[in-house]
Amino acid sequence: HVQLVESGGGSVQAGGSLKLSCAASLNPTSDYCLGWFRQAPGKEREGITSIDVDGFTTYADSVKGRLIIFRDNDKNTLFLQMNSLKPEDTALYYCAARPNRGCFGSWQTSGAFDYWGRGTQVTVS
C-alpha cells in the first residue's frame, strides 16, 4: 500500500522560509520519479518541481531560484526547501510519485503521477 504524507507547512511572512517533507512508503523509493505540486484557491493544480532517480531536477519558472527539491532515498523522504517566499506561493502543497526512473517531459502533468499525498498548507502573508 503506497502512502505519501506531507508535513512542514504553516504560515510565514513574505521573504521567509519553510521546509516541506514527504514521507513515502514506496518500495523502493529510489525507483520513483518524485514531484511537488501546489493548488491555490480557485486555480488549477500546478506542477512546480520534480526530481528523478539520478537527482536530475526541474523547476517551474515561478519558483526557480527560490525552491529546492531534494530526496533522501535511505530515509524514503522527499523535501522541498522554500526560500524567499511570496504571497503568491500560498497554496496547498502536494507530493506525488510515479514508478519511473525518469520524470521526462510530463513532470508538470498531474495525470502523469500515480500516487499523491493529501497536502500541506502553506500561507504567506
Side-chain angles (χ1 to χ4, degrees):
H1 176 65
V2 175
Q3 190 172 20
L4 303 176
V5 180
E6 303 93 338
S7 61
S11 297
V12 64
Q13 290 188 337
S17 297
L18 282 173
K19 182 180 177 181
L20 305 185
S21 300
C22 173
S25 63
L26 302 169
N27 186 24
T29 301
S30 57
D31 282 354
Y32 285 74
C33 160
L34 303 175
W36 287 98
F37 287 72
R38 68 184 181 186
Q39 188 165 17
K43 295 188 177 181
E44 293 188 356
R45 190 170 296 189
E46 171 192 20
I48 56 174
T49 182
S50 72
I51 183 168
D52 71 10
V53 299
D54 294 318
F56 181 78
T57 58
T58 53
Y59 295 93
D61 288 343
S62 58
V63 304
K64 196 172 294 182
R66 301 187 299 116
L67 274 58
I68 302 170
I69 186 173
F70 55 104
R71 62 195 293 168
D72 186 333
N73 291 332
D74 291 337
K75 296 182 178 179
N76 295 324
T77 306
L78 175 69
F79 299 96
L80 183 64
Q81 178 65 46
M82 309 173 69
N83 302 318
S84 303
L85 285 164
K86 304 176 181 180
E88 50 263 44
D89 293 319
T90 296
L92 190 60
Y93 283 71
Y94 300 90
C95 65
R98 70 187 207 207
N100 299 108
R101 296 184 60 82
C103 295
F104 311 114
S106 57
W107 66 273
Q108 288 184 293
T109 304
S110 53
F113 286 79
D114 299 277
Y115 306 106
W116 293 85
R118 293 188 174 183
T120 185
Q121 179 67 37
V122 171
T123 302
V124 185
S125 59

Short mmCIF file of all heavy atoms in Angstrom, two decimals, residues 72-100:
data_model
loop_
_atom_site.label_atom_id
_atom_site.label_comp_id
_atom_site.label_asym_id
_atom_site.label_seq_id
_atom_site.Cartn_x
_atom_site.Cartn_y
_atom_site.Cartn_z
N ASP A 72 15.98 11.92 -0.04
CA ASP A 72 16.84 11.02 0.73
C ASP A 72 16.22 9.63 0.60
O ASP A 72 15.27 9.29 1.32
CB ASP A 72 16.91 11.47 2.20
CG ASP A 72 17.89 10.64 3.01
OD1 ASP A 72 18.13 9.47 2.65
OD2 ASP A 72 18.40 11.15 4.01
N ASN A 73 16.74 8.85 -0.31
CA ASN A 73 16.15 7.53 -0.58
C ASN A 73 16.31 6.59 0.61
O ASN A 73 15.45 5.73 0.84
CB ASN A 73 16.77 6.91 -1.82
CG ASN A 73 16.38 7.65 -3.09
OD1 ASN A 73 15.31 8.25 -3.18
ND2 ASN A 73 17.26 7.62 -4.08
N ASP A 74 17.38 6.73 1.35
CA ASP A 74 17.58 5.86 2.52
C ASP A 74 16.51 6.09 3.57
O ASP A 74 16.13 5.17 4.29
CB ASP A 74 18.97 6.09 3.12
CG ASP A 74 20.08 5.60 2.20
OD1 ASP A 74 19.79 4.73 1.35
OD2 ASP A 74 21.20 6.10 2.32
N LYS A 75 16.04 7.34 3.65
CA LYS A 75 15.00 7.68 4.63
C LYS A 75 13.61 7.73 4.00
O LYS A 75 12.65 8.10 4.66
CB LYS A 75 15.33 9.02 5.30
CG LYS A 75 16.60 9.00 6.13
CD LYS A 75 16.84 10.33 6.81
CE LYS A 75 18.10 10.28 7.67
NZ LYS A 75 18.37 11.59 8.34
N ASN A 76 13.53 7.36 2.70
CA ASN A 76 12.24 7.36 1.99
C ASN A 76 11.52 8.69 2.12
O ASN A 76 10.31 8.75 2.37
CB ASN A 76 11.35 6.23 2.51
CG ASN A 76 11.93 4.88 2.22
OD1 ASN A 76 12.54 4.66 1.17
ND2 ASN A 76 11.77 3.95 3.15
N THR A 77 12.26 9.77 1.96
CA THR A 77 11.69 11.10 2.18
C THR A 77 12.06 12.05 1.05
O THR A 77 13.20 12.06 0.59
CB THR A 77 12.14 11.67 3.53
OG1 THR A 77 11.83 10.76 4.57
CG2 THR A 77 11.42 12.99 3.81
N LEU A 78 11.09 12.83 0.65
CA LEU A 78 11.26 13.90 -0.33
C LEU A 78 11.15 15.22 0.41
O LEU A 78 10.33 15.36 1.32
CB LEU A 78 10.19 13.81 -1.40
CG LEU A 78 10.13 14.91 -2.45
CD1 LEU A 78 11.34 14.83 -3.37
CD2 LEU A 78 8.83 14.83 -3.25
N PHE A 79 11.95 16.20 0.01
CA PHE A 79 11.95 17.50 0.68
C PHE A 79 11.73 18.63 -0.33
O PHE A 79 12.02 18.49 -1.52
CB PHE A 79 13.29 17.73 1.39
CG PHE A 79 13.60 16.73 2.46
CD1 PHE A 79 14.40 15.63 2.18
CD2 PHE A 79 13.09 16.88 3.74
CE1 PHE A 79 14.70 14.70 3.15
CE2 PHE A 79 13.38 15.96 4.73
CZ PHE A 79 14.19 14.86 4.43
N LEU A 80 11.24 19.74 0.19
CA LEU A 80 11.15 20.97 -0.60
C LEU A 80 11.56 22.12 0.31
O LEU A 80 10.82 22.48 1.23
CB LEU A 80 9.74 21.19 -1.14
CG LEU A 80 9.57 22.40 -2.04
CD1 LEU A 80 10.40 22.25 -3.32
CD2 LEU A 80 8.10 22.64 -2.39
N GLN A 81 12.74 22.67 0.05
CA GLN A 81 13.20 23.84 0.79
C GLN A 81 12.67 25.08 0.07
O GLN A 81 12.95 25.27 -1.12
CB GLN A 81 14.73 23.89 0.84
CG GLN A 81 15.29 25.12 1.54
CD GLN A 81 14.93 25.17 3.01
OE1 GLN A 81 15.05 24.17 3.73
NE2 GLN A 81 14.47 26.33 3.46
N MET A 82 11.91 25.87 0.78
CA MET A 82 11.26 27.04 0.20
C MET A 82 11.84 28.30 0.81
O MET A 82 11.70 28.54 2.01
CB MET A 82 9.75 26.96 0.45
CG MET A 82 9.13 25.63 0.05
SD MET A 82 7.41 25.46 0.53
CE MET A 82 6.66 26.65 -0.58
N ASN A 83 12.47 29.12 0.00
CA ASN A 83 13.09 30.37 0.44
C ASN A 83 12.46 31.56 -0.27
O ASN A 83 11.83 31.41 -1.32
CB ASN A 83 14.59 30.32 0.16
CG ASN A 83 15.29 29.16 0.83
OD1 ASN A 83 15.01 28.84 1.99
ND2 ASN A 83 16.21 28.53 0.11
N SER A 84 12.67 32.74 0.31
CA SER A 84 12.17 33.99 -0.29
C SER A 84 10.71 33.85 -0.69
O SER A 84 10.32 34.19 -1.82
CB SER A 84 13.03 34.36 -1.51
OG SER A 84 14.38 34.49 -1.17
N LEU A 85 9.91 33.36 0.22
CA LEU A 85 8.51 33.10 -0.08
C LEU A 85 7.74 34.38 -0.37
O LEU A 85 8.01 35.44 0.21
CB LEU A 85 7.87 32.32 1.05
CG LEU A 85 8.27 30.84 1.10
CD1 LEU A 85 7.92 30.23 2.44
CD2 LEU A 85 7.58 30.08 -0.03
N LYS A 86 6.78 34.24 -1.27
CA LYS A 86 5.93 35.37 -1.69
C LYS A 86 4.47 35.03 -1.39
O LYS A 86 4.11 33.85 -1.32
CB LYS A 86 6.10 35.60 -3.19
CG LYS A 86 7.52 35.82 -3.66
CD LYS A 86 7.57 35.94 -5.18
CE LYS A 86 8.99 36.13 -5.67
NZ LYS A 86 9.06 36.23 -7.15
N PRO A 87 3.63 36.04 -1.27
CA PRO A 87 2.20 35.76 -1.04
C PRO A 87 1.60 34.86 -2.12
O PRO A 87 0.73 34.04 -1.82
CB PRO A 87 1.57 37.16 -1.06
CG PRO A 87 2.66 38.05 -0.56
CD PRO A 87 3.92 37.48 -1.14
N GLU A 88 2.09 34.96 -3.34
CA GLU A 88 1.55 34.13 -4.42
C GLU A 88 1.99 32.66 -4.30
O GLU A 88 1.54 31.82 -5.08
CB GLU A 88 1.96 34.68 -5.80
CG GLU A 88 3.43 34.99 -5.96
CD GLU A 88 3.76 36.46 -5.72
OE1 GLU A 88 3.24 37.04 -4.74
OE2 GLU A 88 4.54 37.01 -6.53
N ASP A 89 2.84 32.34 -3.34
CA ASP A 89 3.18 30.95 -3.08
C ASP A 89 2.15 30.28 -2.17
O ASP A 89 2.22 29.06 -1.94
CB ASP A 89 4.56 30.86 -2.41
CG ASP A 89 5.70 31.28 -3.32
OD1 ASP A 89 5.67 30.93 -4.52
OD2 ASP A 89 6.61 31.98 -2.83
N THR A 90 1.20 31.04 -1.67
CA THR A 90 0.16 30.48 -0.82
C THR A 90 -0.64 29.43 -1.57
O THR A 90 -1.19 29.71 -2.64
CB THR A 90 -0.77 31.59 -0.31
OG1 THR A 90 -0.03 32.48 0.53
CG2 THR A 90 -1.94 31.01 0.47
N ALA A 91 -0.68 28.21 -1.03
CA ALA A 91 -1.36 27.11 -1.71
C ALA A 91 -1.30 25.87 -0.83
O ALA A 91 -0.58 25.84 0.18
CB ALA A 91 -0.69 26.81 -3.05
N LEU A 92 -2.04 24.87 -1.25
CA LEU A 92 -1.92 23.53 -0.68
C LEU A 92 -0.87 22.79 -1.50
O LEU A 92 -0.98 22.72 -2.72
CB LEU A 92 -3.27 22.82 -0.74
CG LEU A 92 -3.42 21.51 0.02
CD1 LEU A 92 -3.17 21.72 1.51
CD2 LEU A 92 -4.82 20.93 -0.19
N TYR A 93 0.17 22.29 -0.82
CA TYR A 93 1.29 21.64 -1.49
C TYR A 93 1.19 20.12 -1.37
O TYR A 93 1.00 19.59 -0.26
CB TYR A 93 2.61 22.14 -0.90
CG TYR A 93 2.98 23.52 -1.38
CD1 TYR A 93 2.28 24.64 -0.95
CD2 TYR A 93 4.02 23.70 -2.29
CE1 TYR A 93 2.60 25.91 -1.41
CE2 TYR A 93 4.35 24.97 -2.75
CZ TYR A 93 3.63 26.07 -2.31
OH TYR A 93 3.95 27.32 -2.77
N TYR A 94 1.32 19.46 -2.52
CA TYR A 94 1.22 18.01 -2.59
C TYR A 94 2.53 17.40 -3.09
O TYR A 94 3.16 17.95 -4.00
CB TYR A 94 0.14 17.60 -3.59
CG TYR A 94 -1.25 18.08 -3.31
CD1 TYR A 94 -1.70 19.30 -3.80
CD2 TYR A 94 -2.15 17.29 -2.58
CE1 TYR A 94 -3.00 19.73 -3.57
CE2 TYR A 94 -3.44 17.72 -2.34
CZ TYR A 94 -3.85 18.94 -2.84
OH TYR A 94 -5.14 19.36 -2.60
N CYS A 95 2.88 16.25 -2.55
CA CYS A 95 3.94 15.48 -3.18
C CYS A 95 3.29 14.36 -3.99
O CYS A 95 2.17 13.93 -3.71
CB CYS A 95 4.93 14.93 -2.17
SG CYS A 95 4.29 13.73 -1.01
N ALA A 96 4.00 13.94 -5.02
CA ALA A 96 3.48 12.94 -5.93
C ALA A 96 4.60 12.02 -6.39
O ALA A 96 5.77 12.41 -6.41
CB ALA A 96 2.82 13.61 -7.13
N ALA A 97 4.22 10.81 -6.79
CA ALA A 97 5.22 9.83 -7.21
C ALA A 97 4.69 8.99 -8.37
O ALA A 97 3.47 8.79 -8.50
CB ALA A 97 5.57 8.90 -6.04
N ARG A 98 5.62 8.55 -9.20
CA ARG A 98 5.25 7.61 -10.24
C ARG A 98 6.41 6.65 -10.45
O ARG A 98 7.57 7.03 -10.29
CB ARG A 98 4.88 8.34 -11.53
CG ARG A 98 6.03 9.00 -12.27
CD ARG A 98 5.49 9.82 -13.40
NE ARG A 98 6.43 9.97 -14.49
CZ ARG A 98 6.43 10.99 -15.31
NH1 ARG A 98 5.56 11.98 -15.15
NH2 ARG A 98 7.29 11.05 -16.29
N PRO A 99 6.10 5.41 -10.81
CA PRO A 99 7.14 4.37 -10.89
C PRO A 99 7.94 4.42 -12.18
O PRO A 99 7.92 3.50 -13.00
CB PRO A 99 6.34 3.08 -10.78
CG PRO A 99 5.02 3.42 -11.38
CD PRO A 99 4.76 4.86 -11.01
N ASN A 100 8.65 5.53 -12.37
CA ASN A 100 9.56 5.68 -13.49
C ASN A 100 10.88 6.24 -12.97
O ASN A 100 10.88 7.10 -12.10
CB ASN A 100 9.01 6.67 -14.53
CG ASN A 100 7.70 6.22 -15.13
OD1 ASN A 100 6.66 6.79 -14.84
ND2 ASN A 100 7.74 5.18 -15.93
#
